[in-house]
Amino acid sequence: EPEVTQTPSHQVTQMGQEVILRCVPISNHLYFYWYRQILGQKVEFLVSFYNNEISEKSEIFDDQFSVERPDGSNFTLKIRSTKLEDSAMYFCASSANAGGRTDTQYFGPGTRLTVL
Amino acid sequence: GDSVTQMEGPVTLSEEAFLTINCTYTATGYPSLFWYVQYPGEGLQLLLKATKADDKGSNKGFEATYRKETTSFHLEKGSVQVSDSAVYFCALRGTYKYIFGTGTRLKVLA
């Protein structure tokens, strides 16, 4: 069964450094998403992406965040200057379409980001 | 705005006990509803879903029925196992995003 993959599984970085989290969505999916989960808390939406544009973003997704689909398979989340509070599990998801009743988002295993 | 409310955890049960995890939602219209499970150290796995009122989603012995009248989507299982110990998230589907509840941790004791 096709699945969403994410790399790395764990990233440790120093505060102020840039990090890039990588995702390979399911191959025929057109909509891509990033969510984050601070330890012990709920999963929060960050951003959705379609046709090389951001469709929607949350208030968490400020100017230090950016997303990109650099080629036909990868989808990346860049955090420009990491802060301690960026430490979280970041989940990538993809779906075949958006908004339809039968649409389902499929989540990757997550990247745990630790900012020291 | 849209929101999901789940019962507080943790829920601790003995093996073979009956499980209910309550979930209610607030939304415009009738969104699709989902239960996701997160095992320790792992990502989110889709457990079941329902896309319209009165639909029943089921998987691995878990069930949930989409109740429009009570805006609820409670998760049930007749006989839990130790291997069901995990965090369970209720979610609704907005236009471009999922909105998750806070999660309910389930611990099943042998």
Side-chain angles (χ1 to χ4, degrees):
Chain A
E1 186 175 327
E3 56 183 22
V4 176
T5 59
Q6 291 185 243
T7 55
S9 57
H10 191 191
Q11 172 99 42
V12 181
T13 189
Q14 296 291 325
M15 191 169 55
Q17 295 297 303
E18 175 184 286
V19 294
I20 297 176
L21 309 184
R22 290 183 167 79
C23 168
V24 178
I26 293 173
S27 63
N28 62 343
H29 284 184
L30 300 176
Y31 295 82
F32 315 113
Y33 314 85
W34 284 101
Y35 293 79
R36 80 170 185 193
Q37 183 185 30
I38 294 172
L39 187 64
Q41 298 186 25
K42 70 176 177 180
V43 178
E44 301 173 291
F45 169 78
L46 292 178
V47 66
S48 61
F49 190 85
Y50 168 71
N51 199 26
N52 283 320
E53 290 184 349
I54 291 174
S55 310
E56 184 175 352
K57 60 182 181 179
S58 72
E59 60 276 8
I60 303 168
F61 194 88
D62 61 22
D63 290 345
Q64 69 160 345
F65 290 93
S66 62
V67 288
E68 191 178 30
R69 189 153 162 82
D71 54 45
S73 59
N74 289 283
F75 178 52
T76 62
L77 174 70
K78 182 193 290 186
I79 309 176
R80 193 163 304 123
S81 176
T82 51
K83 304 175 194 150
L84 295 176
E85 55 264 36
D86 293 327
S87 295
M89 180 76 91
Y90 288 80
F91 292 106
C92 174
S94 70
S95 65
N97 45 63
R101 285 204 164 278
T102 57
D103 179 59
T104 299
Q105 292 184 14
Y106 294 86
F107 286 79
T111 292
R112 179 164 298 286
L113 175 64
T114 301
V115 182
L116 303 176
Chain B
D2 297 352
S3 66
V4 174
T5 302
Q6 278 183 248
M7 65 186 287
E8 292 282 333
V11 174
T12 303
L13 296 173
S14 298
E15 208 164 25
E16 300 183 4
F18 185 86
L19 168 71
T20 299
I21 300 178
N22 289 338
C23 170
T24 57
Y25 68 91
T26 302
T28 304
Y30 305 108
S32 296
L33 301 173
F34 304 82
W35 278 100
Y36 281 82
V37 58
Q38 185 178 35
Y39 296 102
E42 298 187 15
L44 297 168
Q45 297 179 25
L46 177 65
L47 182 59
L48 54 83
K49 68 179 182 181
T51 58
K52 60 183 188 297
D54 300 326
D55 264 4
K56 178 187 281 189
S58 61
N59 186 24
K60 299 180 183 178
F62 291 89
E63 293 183 342
T65 301
Y66 192 139
R67 302 281 188 205
K68 182 179 65 174
E69 319 76 40
T70 54
T71 61
S72 65
F73 193 55
H74 303 322
L75 182 68
E76 297 181 334
K77 186 175 186 183
S79 176
V80 293
Q81 306 299 312
V82 172
S83 57
D84 293 326
S85 297
V87 180
Y88 292 82
F89 291 91
C90 184
L92 67 81
R93 202 199 189 303
T95 304
Y96 290 116
K97 65 188 178 190
Y98 280 16
I99 296 168
F100 286 85
T102 51
T104 302
R105 182 175 300 278
L106 170 66
K107 188 172 182 180
V108 180
L109 304 175

